[in-house]
Amino acid sequence: MTSEAAEKLEHFFSLFTGDVRPLLLLDYDGTLAGFRVDRFTARPWAGVRELLQDIQRQGRTHMAVITGRPACEIPTMLGLATPVEVWGLHGAERLYLDGRKELEEPSEAAREKLDRVREQLRRNAFGGLFEDKANAAVMHWRGHSHQQALRIERKTRELFEPLAQMDGLSLLDFEAGIELRVGRDKGGAVEAIIEEAGRDKPVTYLGDDLTDEAAFRAVNQAEAAHVSVLVRHEPRETAADIWLRPPEELRMFLKKWREALSRN
């Protein structure tokens, strides 16, 4: 971590005074947990679950996970003793602490187009891994050779891109994949959380992927104290304020969060 990043974090944590209830918004895959070809084996980095549980027990942090996964997968994967708010499908779905779930409904026209794409990809996924989400058709090529991945991506884009020009549908690129989808993105989820919690709350978002850039931009526009954090092994061009390497610097960040609330 650079000295400039350390200074930004120290200033941010210094604002955890009085009865302030900061917002800790987190991506899952690549941020709290390392990537796995079999996504159901992705578990939090060592020590991360325990730190998040400590922060929950303090009772002063509004914590939420914003993920591309269906929201129902996160509680089991994360394994916290206390329920956590989850915004799944990149923000289009919300799982409340009491177990209630909300899903943005696509228009009939968008649903019909997605259904046709789903059926086509079930028959022929171009050698990639097709994932059927409630609001999207998703193609993955993680784990394939470079040439195979390029071929899968080209064929998928040929199918998806014309449809993404139609009302209600959009493309979302992520590392080693792409999805044709409807609904709120991660930036929209961040904006909704800030609006509901109150615009005076310090807020951060930690993420690693291209899909997290919308969330970084939303945090950067917050009226209250804020910091956006890119968590990945190598830096890349990003809207995030600072870059942290997982898992060591991620654990450091969460420890500083816990300590900042313990001091006040």
Side-chain angles (χ1 to χ4, degrees):
M1 181 171 54
T2 66
S3 58
E4 181 182 3
E7 186 176 335
K8 284 184 178 181
L9 286 182
E10 286 303 319
H11 174 70
F12 179 69
F13 290 129
S14 72
L15 302 175
F16 289 17
T17 58
D19 60 355
V20 67
R21 182 173 165 80
L23 306 179
L24 177 58
L25 311 181
L26 304 151
D27 172 48
Y28 186 77
D29 292 283
T31 303
L32 297 181
F35 281 111
R36 297 288 184 271
V37 173
D38 178 358
R39 64 193 181 90
F40 294 104
T41 65
R43 292 296 185 271
W45 306 105
V48 167
R49 178 185 291 115
E50 292 77 11
L51 286 165
L52 293 176
Q53 287 184 157
D54 286 349
I55 291 169
Q56 282 186 317
R57 281 193 288 266
Q58 289 176 311
R60 289 183 54 193
T61 296
H62 181 150
M63 186 187 303
V65 176
I66 307 177
T67 175
R69 291 176 181 262
C72 64
E73 294 181 8
I74 292 300
T76 300
M77 303 293 292
L78 192 52
L80 296 177
T82 304
V84 65
E85 178 183 339
V86 183
W87 293 67
L89 306 177
H90 297 289
E93 179 187 41
R94 184 177 184 182
L95 179 64
Y96 290 83
L97 295 178
D98 62 5
R100 287 180 299 126
K101 188 165 65 174
E102 291 179 352
L103 175 66
E104 284 187 292
E105 290 294 331
S107 68
E108 184 176 349
R111 186 186 304 110
E112 289 176 354
K113 292 181 180 69
L114 279 174
D115 285 343
R116 287 197 292 271
V117 169
R118 290 176 176 126
E119 183 59 33
Q120 182 173 342
L121 291 175
R122 288 189 191 103
R123 294 194 305 267
N124 179 10
F126 313 133
L129 175 63
F130 167 57
E131 181 185 0
D132 187 353
K133 291 184 179 179
N135 71 326
V138 189
M139 183 64 72
H140 301 263
W141 48 82
R142 185 179 299 279
H144 286 276
S145 70
H146 179 65
Q147 286 301 116
Q148 288 174 321
L150 288 176
R151 176 181 174 278
I152 297 166
E153 179 179 7
R154 175 176 58 80
K155 288 186 172 292
T156 305
R157 288 189 181 278
E158 288 173 354
L159 176 62
F160 283 5
E161 286 179 350
L163 296 171
Q165 307 304 315
M166 301 177 183
D167 289 344
L169 291 169
S170 62
L171 282 182
L172 185 65
D173 289 281
F174 56 94
E175 291 191 24
I178 189 171
E179 65 178 67
L180 180 69
R181 70 187 304 273
V182 296
R184 184 191 293 114
D185 65 8
K186 290 186 176 184
V190 168
E191 291 168 358
I193 293 169
I194 291 174
E195 184 66 29
E196 185 175 296
R199 296 182 176 275
D200 60 334
K201 307 294 192 300
V203 56
T204 186
Y205 180 84
L206 281 70
D208 72 296
D209 207 340
L210 299 175
T211 61
D212 297 306
E213 291 299 318
F216 294 150
R217 291 190 292 270
V219 165
N220 294 347
Q221 293 169 5
E223 297 173 10
H226 56 269
V227 62
S228 49
V229 184
L230 178 67
V231 181
R232 57 184 281 127
H233 294 290
E234 300 295 334
R236 62 166 172 80
E237 186 174 345
T238 180
D241 292 321
I242 65 173
W243 164 50
L244 299 180
R245 297 179 182 89
E248 294 85 358
E249 292 181 344
L250 170 64
R251 288 192 291 261
M252 174 275 297
F253 178 94
L254 295 175
K255 288 175 182 176
K256 286 183 175 294
W257 187 287
R258 181 184 62 187
E259 291 164 4
L261 289 176
S262 297
R263 289 195 301 265
N264 298 290

